[in-house]
Amino acid sequence: MKVYNTMTRAKEELVTLTPGEVRMYVCGVTPYDYSHIGHARSAIVFDVIRRYLEYRGYRVTMVRNYTDVDDKIIRRANEEGVSTAEVSDRYIEAERRDMEALGVLPPSVAPRATEHIAEMVGLIERLVAKSVAYVVDGDVYFEIRRFPPYGRLSGKNLDELLAGARVEVDERKRDPRDFALWKAAKPGEPSWPSPWGPGRPGWHIECSVMSIRYLGESFDIHGGGTDLIFPHHECEIAQAEADTGKPFAHYWLHNGMLNLGAAKMSKSLGNTLTIRALVKRHPPDALRLWMLGTHYRHPIEWSEERADEAARALQTLWGPEERLRKWVDSSTFASSAGELPTEFAEHRTRFIEAMDDDFNTPAALGSLFDFGHALNRASSVSPQHLVRGARELSSLAHTLGLTEPKPRIQGLSAEIGQQIEVLIRERATARMNRDWKRADEIRSRIESLGVVLTDSSSGTEWEMKQK
RNA sequence: GGCGGCGUAGCCAAGUGGCCAAGGCGGAGGUCUGCAAAACCUCUAUUCAGCGGUUCGAAUCCGCUCGCCGCCUCCA
């Protein structure tokens, strides 16, 4: 299979360091507030990548970190008059709930920066010893000129970087482009002891340390949003490779940004959309289907309407198995194992080809919708083959993390559910007496509760109305 | 200024040299049904921002023009 590598700006054949095994690291959040829809995209993109690699038979070790020491956390803690740990604990907990609500699998390891301070100090010490880093007033900086490949990932020309003039001028730095590895403690900030005095780590060092700690000095995939390419990932590479002398991550994968209307989401503009608010209004599968309808590297714009459309489209994916469960006896269901019938094999093949091509989820979904329609149309196929096909479709949808048929009675109390059952029985009587007027009255009463009735030869089904 | 990306049907979105330009939503008609819904069938881009070029052949390659966006500073 092929993946697009930001480092080479090309699709490359995926060759892992250990055959059959993928070791990947994805940059997680800084827990100083509730996670927003942009975090959701990154999480879902790499969740799908991880699930698909596993589907293809790889054993995947996935690490996603928490940056739990940072300016924004400190500011938040000071505003609230609580400890930084209290702030980060709260939002890490919230993030875990959000991820669960979105159907994002927990990473194999979810380390926190503050649990690895000693290792960071160790790495910085080695960099200082090698003279690629220097100490100034209790701060430690990485000296960019000592690491010639700096700028390769982001395609930056170092001179132009300097000419950009947006680099903060700090007279104490040897070069304005040098970045902090360690920051001397200021009053009111959390700090840890170090050979250079009390302080805290710079942002980039944690990812170098934790990825190496859990995945080794060289590993397969490093991911994150495109906004992290520079400077964050550039700096990670510099720190890690200056220390180990070995290639750090082999493949750099970056998801495109999610925009809210014209403007990029930004706290200062107040146009953030939190995951917790989002999942109250949209089924997680609808959100995921909507996101996967655009290739992960392309930017995507949030739209309430697009998410509603996705919820409607979900039916084609879950419908075939759901319907067959009703019409086919359970022994047929049980006996439907084995090879995928040839009449459906092309859909799976198309799915795999699409996903093998840099995780082309829009094309993969196309094959799934075709699969669904083919199942609905296949009247001359044996029940065993139909069931086998329908279960294959569900299973492929599952490898994209689309996990659940839509809820039937979500948001309805048991009493209302019973009321509806009573009304349906009344209506059945009316229909038997061919009292269509009465039957339609009852239907519209039930519909005003947000429930849709479906008549068929075997009785009346009901479900929550789609948006 | 530097680096990168985008412009495909009413909307969303794949496709990056050659079968009729995927798929979703929406829309139109039809089958089925007491009605409705679901499901199914058919239709909905002679054309890929514009112009020029390369080629037997281009949405796909090259050049120019127009429009839009991201990064270069904390950010998924």
Side-chain angles (χ1 to χ4, degrees), chain A residues 212-457:
Chain A
I212 289 173
R213 163 79 167 71
Y214 293 102
L215 301 172
E217 294 181 337
S218 293
F219 54 95
D220 301 301
I221 293 175
H222 192 126
T226 55
D227 52 350
L228 297 182
I229 295 170
F230 186 90
H232 185 53
H233 290 162
E234 201 73 76
C235 296
E236 278 185 53
I237 294 168
Q239 295 158 343
E241 296 191 355
D243 177 38
T244 68
K246 293 175 187 160
F248 188 48
H250 284 198
Y251 302 94
W252 289 86
L253 273 53
H254 292 98
N255 65 276
M257 295 292 98
L258 186 153
N259 299 310
L260 234 39
K264 182 184 170 180
M265 207 160 21
S266 126
K267 304 248 158 151
S268 55
L269 290 172
N271 64 344
T272 59
L273 185 53
T274 61
I275 295 170
R276 61 209 312 256
L278 208 60
V279 294
K280 282 178 189 156
R281 293 204 302 273
H282 301 277
D285 277 356
L287 291 169
R288 188 177 283 249
L289 184 63
W290 163 67
M291 281 190 192
L292 300 184
T294 298
H295 187 87
Y296 79 90
R297 286 194 278 119
H298 291 174
I300 186 171
E301 192 171 309
W302 165 247
S303 153
E304 204 82 36
E305 292 71 34
R306 293 296 94 69
D308 289 341
E309 287 175 9
R312 287 189 282 272
L314 237 22
Q315 189 53 32
T316 306
L317 266 23
W318 301 129
E321 183 176 348
E322 212 174 73
R323 255 189 307 284
L324 284 166
R325 272 192 193 281
K326 276 184 230 159
W327 307 128
V328 174
D329 58 275
S330 51
S331 64
T332 305
F333 237 88
S335 69
S336 64
E339 286 297 302
L340 182 64
T342 50
E343 56 263 52
F344 302 127
E346 59 162 313
H347 297 106
R348 180 171 64 186
T349 303
R350 266 216 290 148
F351 176 87
I352 291 172
E353 281 171 359
M355 289 300 285
D356 273 0
D357 183 16
D358 193 32
F359 312 103
N360 189 340
T361 54
L365 286 170
S367 76
L368 258 31
F369 285 110
D370 285 344
F371 197 166
H373 294 306
L375 285 161
N376 290 333
R377 207 179 306 136
S379 52
S380 60
V381 177
S382 76
Q384 281 83 359
H385 281 198
L386 270 183
V387 170
R388 179 64 186 81
R391 298 186 79 173
E392 185 68 27
L393 171 59
S394 298
S395 148
L396 293 177
H398 196 87
T399 73
L400 297 180
L402 296 165
T403 53
E404 283 177 42
K406 69 182 184 306
R408 282 194 170 272
I409 55 168
Q410 190 189 46
L412 279 190
S413 67
E415 299 93 276
I416 293 182
Q418 277 175 7
Q419 246 181 50
I420 289 170
E421 295 293 342
V422 169
L423 286 169
I424 286 175
R425 276 197 292 277
E426 267 184 50
R427 181 166 168 273
T429 310
R431 290 181 71 213
M432 223 142 53
N433 298 328
R434 307 185 70 81
D435 182 355
W436 310 127
K437 198 176 163 218
R438 173 83 183 125
D440 289 345
E441 268 170 28
I442 295 173
R443 180 205 291 282
S444 59
R445 249 178 86 186
I446 292 177
E447 277 182 358
S448 67
L449 295 170
V451 170
V452 177
L453 297 184
T454 309
D455 297 326
S456 73
S457 53

Side-chain angles (χ1 to χ4, degrees), chain A residues 125-240:
Chain A
E125 279 186 291
R126 293 194 297 278
L127 293 174
V128 171
K130 285 179 180 165
S131 299
V132 292
Y134 56 94
V135 183
V136 185
D137 306 332
D139 289 345
V140 185
Y141 293 98
F142 188 96
E143 189 166 9
I144 257 143
R145 269 177 300 195
R146 310 283 282 175
F147 186 74
Y150 190 82
R152 219 175 72 203
L153 178 70
S154 51
K156 301 230 176 276
N157 176 309
L158 290 188
D159 298 330
E160 282 160 355
L161 203 60
L162 194 58
R166 294 178 79 173
V167 182
E168 189 183 331
V169 177
D170 183 339
E171 291 301 322
R172 303 171 314 152
K173 290 202 245 178
R174 292 182 188 167
D175 186 308
R177 299 163 298 186
D178 292 346
F179 61 91
L181 296 169
W182 187 261
K183 299 175 177 179
K186 292 182 197 132
E189 287 185 358
S191 66
W192 290 261
S194 84
W196 322 283
R200 61 189 171 95
W203 174 34
H204 317 298
I205 195 78
E206 61 172 278
C207 289
S208 301
V209 162
M210 294 191 286
S211 56
I212 289 173
R213 163 79 167 71
Y214 293 102
L215 301 172
E217 294 181 337
S218 293
F219 54 95
D220 301 301
I221 293 175
H222 192 126
T226 55
D227 52 350
L228 297 182
I229 295 170
F230 186 90
H232 185 53
H233 290 162
E234 201 73 76
C235 296
E236 278 185 53
I237 294 168
Q239 295 158 343

